[in-house]
Amino acid sequence: MKAVIFFIGVFFSCLSLSAQSEKQTYGSFDWVKINPDESFDRFAWESLPQGITQVMVESLLASPYLTTPDPITLFYLQGQLVALIPCRFEVLRWTGDRWDNLYKGTGSGFNCHAHFFVREGKLYSMGRYGFWRGHSELLEFDFGTGYWEFVPASSPPMNYGGVGIFVDGDRVFSILGENIHQPSNVFYPDKNGYVFDFKSKAWSSIQLDFPNQKNLSSWIMPSFDLKDYGVQLYQLEAHLGLLLLHKKENTLYFVKDNNFGKFRFFLVAVALENNAVFFDKYGDPTFLLPPTAPLEKFTKVGDIRFNQQTSSFGLEDWSFAILTGLLLLMAGGGGLWWRKNHLSKKSDPAETLPPAEEQGTVDGVEDMARLVAKLLAQPVLLVDVHQLDQVFGASDLESLDYRRVRRSRYIKAVNQYFQAQYGKDLIVRTKSETDKRIILYRISP
């Protein structure tokens, strides 16, 4: 055992990505995953990278934020060791003797089975399930404000959460996922997938061109993101093994693997570049890929085909620009015509609107996405006027008219945003079944 542990230590130290600073006390790793659903009674703690201690792990396993059996993910970034727990927005930072929560909000339940990753020094969460539907929403954590912010994206896949999510520079692959929308009883797998481009902030569909794909869903089978490869536990025909996505070649490989169970029911996994080692309950290691020749036993089974991306209007870029210019000209001309005719008419004074700060505004897509997430995070989906005003920040306004104006503006803005994203209104006005005089608002995701 000591010889194996020594080999693991030498292995990770030799693969150091960069020189360690004087303040750095952690061994080199890209990510560490901790399985909270297994017993650590017999675990050999000395197997872990330098700085990852028994006290650190056990305090995570006792965390009140731990609500799912999905693995906890650790990253070292911006000079901090942080831990992420699926189905929670908490970002826990290790201070030396305890975990402090950097998240300033109160939301949860939106990012169950989430794939956390670090790109260019920034922390992200993608998908995969929340509020009764699958999704591929991309969130970025702002260490300055302590909040998760939505990353705006065009043409996002509807009700889709990928099983294998793999990051390659500006691209994020999301493959072999599941389409889920529980309110409409939608549950069906997707044999292909999508790719997100950080440069264009756009999604486009891809096809996995390999034979003998199984019809059953892989939801949610573990997958692991490495530097040049994405590896997913997979059953091809009758064989359990590893499906490998080669990020640079855009190709797919498969190998039968007798260690399938060790990769699924590990206690701790540590990854660095293209290597990942999985420790069982005794601390015994198993490598995901052979360190010297990762593809030695793999067989190529197919390729990834990229579908040409189009704009939401189905036009080429230049045509879209011309159309946008014409629409702006028409809008400007219409505005001048309305102003001329409106000012020429003598009419009774209109009702005085409240000041702009009392009317309330939502600036930009990010603010609107944050407001939608806040509505979806409500513990009940049928709220009264007062509860809705609290969400909109209008409950402190003294004037009832001012509250009404803000409420109306926000409902309209939210529904317009939700219609554009999902094809329906999020907030629906209804009446109480017990007293028809009472107006209620149903939040319908």
Side-chain angles (χ1 to χ4, degrees):
M1 171 61 72
K2 291 184 179 179
V4 173
I5 294 173
F6 174 78
F7 172 74
I8 295 296
V10 172
F11 169 74
F12 280 111
S13 63
C14 291
L15 286 175
S16 177
L17 292 176
S18 61
Q20 302 293 312
S21 67
E22 293 181 359
K23 295 182 179 179
Q24 171 76 19
T25 58
Y26 301 104
S28 297
F29 61 86
D30 292 333
W31 51 254
V32 174
K33 292 186 181 293
I34 300 170
N35 189 341
D37 209 31
E38 298 290 334
S39 173
F40 283 75
D41 293 343
R42 302 180 181 180
F43 189 73
W45 296 100
E46 62 271 23
S47 304
L48 299 182
Q50 178 186 1
I52 308 300
T53 65
Q54 179 178 356
V55 173
M56 186 184 296
V57 174
E58 289 182 341
S59 59
L60 274 177
L61 299 176
S63 171
Y65 303 120
L66 193 61
T67 57
T68 75
D70 290 352
I72 304 167
T73 305
L74 272 60
F75 298 108
Y76 186 79
L77 75 160
Q78 299 187 9
Q80 305 174 89
L81 181 68
V82 296
L84 289 306
I85 300 175
C87 230
R88 307 289 306 193
F89 285 141
E90 280 72 24
V91 178
L92 305 179
R93 176 185 59 189
W94 182 248
T95 64
D97 56 0
R98 69 179 186 274
W99 293 97
D100 282 351
N101 183 17
L102 301 179
Y103 175 57
K104 304 300 183 184
T106 58
S108 63
F110 179 72
N111 60 337
C112 297
H113 306 303
H115 176 68
F116 300 109
F117 64 93
V118 173
R119 176 183 177 271
E120 297 183 348
K122 297 179 181 179
L123 180 61
Y124 294 94
S125 170
M126 177 173 284
R128 295 177 171 120
Y129 176 84
F131 305 127
W132 305 280
R133 68 180 183 91
H135 66 85
S136 298
E137 299 288 357
L138 181 62
L139 308 176
E140 177 187 339
F141 187 72
D142 188 326
F143 282 88
T145 64
Y147 287 94
W148 290 93
E149 305 291 346
F150 280 88
V151 177
S154 62
S155 306
M158 297 295 296
N159 302 321
Y160 170 86
V163 173
I165 300 179
F166 309 122
V167 183
D168 177 39
D170 294 324
R171 305 183 301 180
V172 182
F173 292 95
S174 181
I175 64 172
L176 297 170
E178 179 89 1
N179 296 276
I180 302 175
H181 189 262
Q182 287 182 253
S184 55
N185 199 31
V186 170
F187 296 91
Y188 62 91
D190 189 324
K191 291 185 176 182
N192 297 294
Y194 299 84
V195 62
F196 175 76
D197 187 343
F198 267 97
K199 288 184 177 179
S200 63
K201 295 293 193 298
W203 284 93
S204 56
S205 61
I206 58 177
Q207 288 184 280
L208 306 185
D209 186 16
F210 73 101
N212 303 320
Q213 294 189 55
K214 59 189 179 66
N215 293 321
L216 298 178
S217 171
S218 299
W219 189 264
I220 187 130
M221 193 66 76
S223 61
F224 309 101
D225 196 11
L226 305 177
K227 179 184 176 183
D228 297 320
Y229 312 112
V231 181
Q232 178 184 327
L233 303 190
Y234 193 76
Q235 179 180 341
L236 186 60
E237 296 179 324
H239 304 296
L240 295 177
L242 306 176
L243 182 68
L244 182 144
L245 185 152
H246 196 307
K247 299 177 182 179
K248 306 307 179 186
E249 296 179 355
N250 299 321
T251 52
L252 297 166
Y253 292 80
F254 182 79
V255 64
K256 295 183 291 183
D257 201 305
N258 295 328
N259 293 318
F260 188 93
K262 293 184 178 181
F263 300 137
R264 186 170 186 180
F265 303 108
F266 61 91
L267 260 69
V268 178
V270 184
L272 179 61
E273 293 189 341
N274 290 322
N275 300 274
V277 59
F278 290 68
F279 297 99
D280 63 13
K281 62 182 180 180
Y282 304 108
D284 291 337
T286 302
F287 285 98
L288 183 66
L289 302 178
T292 55
L295 302 184
E296 181 179 15
K297 297 182 180 180
F298 280 79
T299 301
K300 182 179 176 181
V301 293
D303 299 284
I304 299 174
R305 290 195 291 151
F306 297 85
N307 297 327
Q308 185 176 2
Q309 181 182 332
T310 59
S311 72
S312 57
F313 294 96
L315 301 174
E316 298 294 338
D317 291 341
W318 63 270
S319 301
F320 182 72
I322 293 175
L323 178 60
T324 302
L326 291 174
L327 290 175
L328 290 174
L329 288 174
M330 292 173 63
L336 292 173
W337 176 86
W338 178 88
R339 183 178 181 183
K340 179 180 179 181
N341 286 273
H342 180 74
L343 294 177
S344 64
K345 294 181 180 179
K346 294 183 178 181
S347 57
D348 295 332
E351 178 184 356
T352 303
L353 287 175
E357 61 270 20
E358 302 290 358
Q359 296 176 32
T361 58
V362 181
D363 297 324
V365 176
E366 293 184 3
D367 287 347
M368 182 58 63
R370 190 184 302 113
L371 183 57
V372 168
K374 189 175 181 182
L375 286 164
L376 292 174
Q378 294 302 302
V380 294
L381 298 182
L382 191 64
V383 298
D384 58 23
V385 172
H386 305 293
Q387 292 170 312
L388 195 62
D389 284 347
Q390 288 181 348
V391 176
F392 291 157
S395 57
D396 295 332
L397 300 179
E398 295 182 359
S399 171
L400 294 178
D401 289 335
Y402 289 2
R403 293 186 193 179
R404 176 183 55 79
V405 171
R406 176 173 290 190
R407 188 188 317 126
S408 176
R409 283 175 177 267
Y410 274 42
I411 290 174
K412 181 178 179 181
V414 166
N415 283 340
Q416 286 179 343
Y417 172 85
F418 211 76
Q419 276 282 354
Q421 295 288 326
Y422 306 107
K424 67 174 185 175
D425 291 340
L426 176 61
I427 304 174
V428 180
R429 193 169 183 265
T430 185
K431 292 183 178 181
S432 172
E433 295 181 358
T434 57
D435 188 345
K436 299 300 182 181
R437 296 171 298 176
I438 299 177
I439 299 299
L440 299 175
Y441 295 89
R442 186 179 301 280
I443 302 173
S444 304

